[in-house]
Amino acid sequence: MKNRPDSRTCRSGALWVLSFLAFYASPVLSGVRHSGDVLWAEVSSIRLSAITPKEKSLALKRLYKRSLAEWIASLELQQEADLRMLFRMLKTSSFFAQAGDYDARSLYLHGMRDVLKELRRRNIAAESEVQAYYEALITARDFVASAELRQAYPKDDFYDYRHFEVTTAPGPGHPMGYVEHDGGLSLVEPTTPAKGAYVVVVIGCHFAEDAASKVLRDAELAGMFNKSNVTWLISGAELDREVLTEWNRRFPMFPAMIAFDNAAWKGVDFTASPTFNVFRDGKVVESISGLDSAENVERLRRILASHDEEAEK
Amino acid sequence: MRVLGTTEVWRYVTRRRVEQSGLDRFGNVGGWSRRWSQRITTEGGGLRFCSETAQGRCTLAARSFKDGLLRHGGRSPVGIDVVRLHPGEGRYSDHFPGTTPTFRYVRHQPTFFPGSHMKKIILAGAFALALSFDACASSYQLQNEAAASEEVLDAISAPIRTRAQLDAYLAVTPNSPIHRLGEAKMKTFLASLMFSPRGLGSYSSVELEGMHSSEVYSILALFGLQTTTRAVRTRRATTEDDNRVERRLRRSLPPTRGGAACLVHKGGSSHVCERLEGAVCSYLCRTH
């Protein structure tokens, strides 16, 4: 005759089964509940890794294709926490796409739009998420969609980026930039020749200011900059107009512009500031990041001098 | 006799002077934006606002409290470079002709710590400022720190300025404000920290999102960057401590330089700001 298991054994068995379910089966039972955390950990790891911003953007695109795209296709099934996590990941990916993976920008933007739409359908869209999508639209210069978003959320207090709005956007592949004009911003084409040499300096931080001051203090280098065709350029991801105003106030001899679309500035490295991109006949031939070291200063001096000699010939 | 601290000086200026001169909703003062990290200093007896982005150049804001009106635009704008904390730089002037306004740019005296020449200068400035108070404020006496901006005081009193100091602090402080982040966020937050010779050059604000204002403030205070708490957009303010922090933040400057990490390479090869989502590049991201 078999002994009836005592209550302790029963409890123990039940706990074991529950533990098993909790550990192994809960992701299955609750869809992708835990995948958000795992994926975010991966995004976070890429974000802070020691690779270049461009490599980060490519790694994030691989992640998008591998996991996020499928996830976006089933938004209605996702839990709120996962939707927010997904939106956050798309925001990160969108940011790094501005560093060189320009084709992927629309992927992330559409993803953000769809996630926000789902959040709104559930009436749980946070103001910070709406604002993040709004800024992504402004950075992408999609002024129609940004105006629609403002209308869709009339109670939200959007940052005022309307000075970036233009009635006619330049065609793709035409590098253009915003300059200060008559108290506002206007779009102009840079004076970059199709033939010959020119320099595009990516600026936008204190080290760039230090570099410009250094050029000014060096009479020979300043003379070379005056003779050369130089464009001082701020990334299109910069939405703070004051950055441009402050630069122009400090360096009126080096007036700057904000790129309308980074992608149109072919060959320009927007990932680090300051970066001196030297072009010849429309193609980048040298790129120098940072101007602190004597070595970089001499390198820049040598390049500009050789261009001067060529121009004189 | 009531002693007026730096905070109160700022409040006084904000209430009595700046608002009268027209402070718009973006914080612009007479066309000069507060977004550019103005700092208060009292060199020469006047009250000056210094621009961090202008490498610590100071424009004369008000000759004295008696003057009242804010004046900027280079009227003999000689001042202390209050954001340069790094000692031993000596002193020199730099003059850029043709710019508007015209600056004279003065670096720090060799040291900026108690007992140094700088302290005497600050004391002298504070004394001169005290003398220039009008009848309404003549009973006030400024403490030493009133001569410098809040941010500078925050920075010089920061307990952590290097990675080694951070490691030592975490090792002996298991209940530090940073530990409140939780293991995972703490790990990524610590990984994001970039130190310059001046202190914490940049940090990631992503891990701080959603925390209480007072928690964010106490974490950043370890590095002297508590006024950049505003860079964390989603903060919770439910306690009295949170409200106190928020009140202080209303007086601080709006954050700038978002989305960039401060990369200071050893050996002086090339220092750059690199694009990094969620990073905040601080005013301590300097090499000298």
Side-chain angles (χ1 to χ4, degrees):
Chain A
M1 192 177 167
K2 280 170 85 174
N3 286 334
R4 194 166 172 253
D6 63 22
S7 59
R8 192 184 299 167
T9 312
C10 278
R11 269 206 304 274
S12 166
L15 279 173
W16 188 88
V17 171
L18 281 174
S19 304
F20 177 87
L21 283 173
F23 191 77
Y24 292 104
S26 64
V28 179
L29 295 175
S30 60
V32 287
R33 178 68 193 91
H34 295 295
S35 64
D37 295 334
V38 174
L39 285 173
W40 173 246
E42 198 170 343
V43 169
S44 201
S45 160
I46 294 169
R47 180 177 151 261
L48 292 175
S49 61
I51 56 179
T52 65
K54 191 164 186 177
E55 287 168 334
K56 286 177 190 177
S57 68
L58 295 175
L60 288 166
K61 189 157 78 178
R62 282 195 292 275
L63 182 68
Y64 176 89
K65 285 182 177 169
R66 198 182 73 219
S67 307
L68 303 192
E70 192 183 346
W71 205 1
I72 291 170
S74 59
L75 291 175
E76 290 178 8
L77 304 175
Q78 309 305 328
Q79 294 186 9
E80 180 187 337
D82 286 333
L83 283 177
R84 294 198 190 287
M85 196 78 89
L86 180 58
F87 186 86
R88 187 70 192 78
M89 287 188 270
L90 289 165
K91 187 183 158 204
T92 302
S93 305
S94 173
F95 178 92
F96 284 109
Q98 278 289 341
D101 189 15
Y102 301 122
D103 293 342
R105 291 180 301 183
S106 59
L107 280 179
Y108 307 133
L109 209 54
H110 291 160
M112 287 170 81
R113 178 197 61 197
D114 293 346
V115 177
L116 193 63
K117 200 171 163 188
E118 178 61 21
L119 288 168
R120 194 184 180 201
R121 190 183 68 78
R122 300 185 195 185
N123 207 22
I124 52 170
E127 197 173 333
S128 58
E129 286 157 343
V130 177
Q131 187 68 39
Y133 179 53
Y134 181 66
E135 289 184 358
L137 287 173
I138 298 290
T139 305
R141 313 299 184 213
D142 190 343
F143 301 116
V144 175
S146 62
E148 285 171 359
L149 191 71
R150 280 201 305 267
Q151 284 174 353
Y153 294 89
K155 288 179 185 171
D156 282 20
D157 187 16
F158 289 92
Y159 286 108
D160 190 0
Y161 295 126
R162 277 172 292 184
H163 41 266
F164 283 107
E165 290 181 5
V166 290
T167 45
T168 314
H174 284 87
M176 292 190 88
Y178 294 100
V179 294
E180 287 193 306
H181 176 69
D182 208 14
L185 294 179
S186 62
L187 213 49
V188 297
E189 214 165 334
T191 52
T192 49
K195 277 274 178 193
Y198 62 93
V199 183
V200 177
V201 190
V202 173
I203 55 169
C205 83
H206 35 258
F207 289 137
E209 292 161 10
D210 291 348
S213 299
K214 199 166 201 169
V215 169
L216 278 176
R217 283 197 296 271
D218 186 323
E220 189 191 13
L221 207 53
M224 287 173 171
F225 266 79
N226 282 336
K227 278 200 276 180
S228 304
N229 192 327
V230 182
T231 303
W232 299 81
L233 187 65
I234 299 168
S235 165
E238 182 57 75
L239 297 183
D240 189 349
R241 184 188 154 181
E242 286 295 327
V243 172
L244 178 65
T245 306
E246 178 66 9
W247 177 276
N248 288 340
R249 189 183 68 76
R250 288 200 55 205
F251 303 106
M253 64 298 289
F254 298 146
M257 59 171 69
I258 298 176
F260 180 84
D261 179 11
N262 286 2
W265 293 80
K266 292 198 184 340
V268 175
D269 178 7
F270 284 97
T271 59
S273 162
T275 298
F276 295 79
N277 301 278
V278 185
F279 288 79
R280 188 178 292 145
D281 300 337
K283 286 184 180 169
V284 67
V285 289
E286 293 264 9
S287 187
I288 301 172
S289 284
L291 204 63
D292 302 87
S293 64
E295 184 193 339
N296 278 4
V297 174
E298 286 315 309
R299 206 173 136 206
L300 186 62
R301 196 192 304 277
R302 212 169 44 244
I303 293 165
L304 292 176
S306 71
H307 288 169
D308 283 352
E309 283 170 18
E310 271 182 33
E312 281 168 13
K313 283 176 192 173
Chain B
M1 181 179 287
R2 193 174 160 215
V3 175
L4 197 66
T6 313
T7 305
E8 287 167 297
V9 169
W10 173 247
R11 196 177 298 141
Y12 181 88
V13 171
T14 308
R15 284 183 187 163
R16 302 292 178 86
R17 305 298 179 194
V18 180
E19 281 181 355
Q20 284 174 13
S21 301
L23 185 72
D24 70 24
R25 72 188 182 92
F26 299 111
N28 293 319
V29 183
W32 204 49
S33 172
R34 287 185 64 208
R35 290 185 66 84
W36 287 99
S37 303
Q38 295 161 28
R39 312 266 180 256
I40 302 174
T41 181
T42 52
E43 164 84 316
L47 186 74
R48 297 166 200 279
F49 286 79
C50 299
S51 163
E52 176 195 339
T53 54
Q55 295 179 318
R57 293 170 192 172
C58 305
T59 50
L60 186 62
R63 198 171 299 280
S64 70
F65 280 113
K66 280 181 182 170
D67 280 4
L69 292 176
L70 277 173
R71 292 192 213 143
H72 55 85
R75 299 181 190 207
S76 308
V78 183
I80 302 171
D81 176 3
V82 288
V83 296
R84 283 178 189 270
L85 307 178
H86 190 56
E89 291 290 336
R91 184 186 174 93
Y92 72 93
S93 295
D94 190 7
H95 184 70
F96 293 155
T99 57
T100 309
T102 303
F103 300 105
R104 279 187 70 204
Y105 158 41
V106 183
R107 279 196 187 178
H108 264 310
Q109 289 290 315
T111 52
F112 193 65
F113 301 101
S116 69
H117 289 121
M118 183 54 81
K119 189 182 175 187
K120 288 175 191 165
I121 290 172
I122 292 172
L123 278 169
F127 180 65
L129 178 66
L131 286 179
S132 68
F133 266 93
D134 58 18
C136 162
S138 61
S139 62
Y140 294 141
Q141 186 179 357
L142 297 178
Q143 288 178 321
N144 297 347
E145 67 268 24
S149 72
E150 288 185 54
E151 285 86 351
V152 173
L153 290 175
D154 292 342
I156 59 177
S157 58
I160 299 170
R161 294 187 204 187
T162 64
R163 174 69 68 176
Q165 286 175 344
L166 173 65
D167 292 342
Y169 169 80
L170 291 173
V172 297
T173 322
N175 297 321
S176 79
I178 296 175
H179 284 89
R180 286 183 213 146
L181 283 166
E183 200 177 334
K185 283 186 178 179
M186 181 176 154
K187 194 177 166 189
T188 51
F189 177 72
L190 293 177
S192 77
L193 305 183
M194 298 282 186
F195 286 90
S196 78
R198 303 264 307 275
L200 186 60
S202 64
Y203 63 90
S204 169
S205 65
V206 172
E207 292 75 16
L208 307 176
E209 297 285 346
M211 292 182 83
H212 282 272
S213 304
S214 53
E215 290 176 326
V216 176
Y217 190 88
S218 57
I219 289 172
L220 296 176
L222 295 169
F223 308 99
L225 297 178
Q226 54 267 51
T227 52
T228 66
T229 299
R230 286 175 74 171
V232 180
R233 285 192 178 181
T234 49
R235 308 181 298 271
R236 281 191 287 165
T238 53
T239 66
E240 187 48 41
D241 282 347
D242 294 336
N243 293 334
R244 279 195 199 100
V245 167
E246 291 297 330
R247 279 197 291 275
R248 184 185 173 183
L249 294 179
R250 277 198 282 277
R251 295 193 309 274
S252 71
L253 305 161
T256 56
R257 297 174 180 172
C262 176
L263 298 188
V264 179
H265 300 297
K266 301 289 178 200
S269 57
S270 61
H271 312 306
V272 293
C273 295
E274 189 176 87
R275 302 291 296 161
L276 178 60
E277 194 238 359
V280 179
C281 205
S282 85
Y283 58 88
L284 297 176
C285 180
R286 294 276 180 186
T287 54
H288 46 260

